[in-house]
Amino acid sequence: MKKAILIIAVAILAAMPGTFKAQDDVNIGKQNVQLKSDLMTPEALWAMGRIGSYAASPDGSKIVYQVGYYSVKHNKSHQVLCVMNSDGSGHQRLTASAKSETDPAWLPDGRIAFVTGGEVWAMNADGTGRKQLSQTGGEVEGFKFSPDGSKVIIIKSIPYNDIIQKNPDDLPKATGRLVTDLMYRHWDHYVESIQHPFVCSVSDGMAIAPTGIDLLKGQPFECPMEPFGGIEQLDWSTDSRCIAYTCRKKTGLEYSISTDSDIFLYDTATGLTRNLCKPEGYVEPKIDPTKTMKYQTVNAKENLKNNVGYDQNPKFSPDGRYIAWISMERNGYEADRQRLCCYDLQTGEKCYLTEDFDSNVDDFCWSQNTKDALIYFIGVWHATENLYAVSVEKYNKKSSLANLKSQTIRLTNDCADWGSLQLMNNGRQLLMERHSYIEPADLYVVTPNVKKPEQTAISQLTQENKHILDRLAKPTVESRWVKTTDGGQMLYWIIQPPHFNPAKKYPTLLFCEGGPQSPVSQFWSYRWNFMIMASQGYVIIAPNRHGLPGFGQEWLEEISGDWTGQCMSDYLVAIDDAAQNLPYVDRNRMGCVGASFGGFSVYYLAGHHDKRFKCFIAHDGAFNLEAMYTETEENWFSNWEYDDAFWNRDQTANAKKTYTNSPHRFVDKWDTPILCIHGEMDYRINATQGMSAFNAARMRGIEAQLLIFPDENHWVLKPQNGILWQRTYFNWLDRWLKK
């Protein structure tokens, strides 16, 4: 392979408002990234622009979108806005300052609204005529204008002291927190504020009134929901009168054990709110907080009609008659199948439109041409995320939901993952995002053809990282099916290094997925990135083991209550099949890596691998399940997955098996070097789990390293930490697998 120095000019932009002086020029300057060959490096990965939110103009002529750039030198990110014509031409960057600009949306008058400095601003489509619309003192965290432009939802945080008590006024420097209930911290922060939606009036000049009506005034509930919810959890009715919003109206212990969120309809004219999921006067059955809800009355068949699981992300139909949302059936089960629920505002009827799709609906939008399709959605099947349509036989405005017969039609058959979708060009096309193992996200226009899906047209609009990707050699991606020990069929991905030579022997990595019920689809990650792993000379084996979506509900649910059974067998089946049948896999140089549940898998396999692997890497993994039961903040997760609290004497067989097979009980069988990585702000799986695993390894005399991040959560988000993560990761693998 020819060695050369490739100089890649990459725009690395400024981080936060006011962070840099003008002479630093990082907001408009360029930084060279040197590559010693045509192979991906951590520096090149972090130099890539990351496409965020996007929106098509009402007339379909233009598209505005957000891109994030990262400065490793300054350890910051900067978000910019760009605009282009709907065919991808006429690209123009709108952001020209060191301040980040985010959340672009089109106003009815053709201008672009966005957030900068915690306020809503507007500008013309060419970036001129910038004007501040809101005056909140920098408190805006999200917004959505009504269709007629007369009102706007503003998301702001308000103080919350129901669980963490406010310290006495005469002790202003006290750092202690007096906690009175559960859910005192969530994901990566202590819960001392919650988000509320406010409805503000808008003047003719689009100026936003400084005060508004709090939809949840006096209520101790959050909207959007922690930790990942955003403005997508609220929607305006087509007549601009009503707001549908997502909320889990619980606090403390009840919140920590429940996934029961509902869709509420708020009438701005009357101020009244009604629950679209529950009948009036609904009383939740009593729940034992130390046991799984699988077998409790709340999930009894007669109660499931009350939408007791996750319900979120409502969207009104174009004619205003219906609301659709993503709905899970059961309470306490965060990975239940995501169905598409449809509610008739005229009759109060409710139905589920995707019952023939045995996987998740991950995002959707209403069609405007109901003769062909009622709704478009994306979902994962057989390890790829593609576009589908819900076609409804003989649909018209007089149809009853009870009589609708829906059919799911696949519109794309791409070895890639398609992202969120929205209508454009008067509903004739869809604006979408697409990525894969070898391609970061770019924007595309999809012209669906429901009657002839094979004629669905796809057109790429952006090539955000072409200047980098064109200089990099690409891995090869293949799939392979193998029979599992229970007689099933499992798909696993094989990612081969660039410049692959089938006559060579390559060190090989078994990738263990997290979740535990997240798909091993064609994701692009800036940490667990298969392209950079393959570029360092590794073959990657990535199994879609039992417990992952896209292979039917029975396959998905097999893992709950059985973390160390079939799914672990699947991992070993996949790596054994690769070692036996792929001649380029070097069975004497195999490693095992994973994060979250994947980290748990690594810790478990470290005691059960029968010397298959030469090294392990576990990131943010669960090590001691008894400790994790009371450490994690979302207790519904442990309840559903383990069945019981560890102190219950009447545990189910699955619960006994779970605790008996916790990885920490098999440290006496560890015999292989291990790298443990953890973030101290990870409140989902606490850092003590990684520290305990590392300590145990060293006390056993096993070669081990601990990479601990005091300022990172379940992920690694800061640029220099990201580079450190990658370098540590590959140094460890190279040390043990490239001898």
Side-chain angles (χ1 to χ4, degrees), residues 101 106 222 243 397 432 440 494 566:
E101 297 177 349
W106 293 91
E222 63 193 15
I243 297 169
K397 293 184 178 180
M432 301 183 68
I494 307 161
Q566 188 61 48

Side-chain angles (χ1 to χ4, degrees), residues 30-44:
K30 293 184 177 181
Q31 185 179 72
N32 290 331
V33 175
Q34 292 188 347
L35 299 178
K36 296 180 180 180
S37 69
D38 59 355
L39 301 177
M40 173 81 85
T41 65
E43 290 75 15

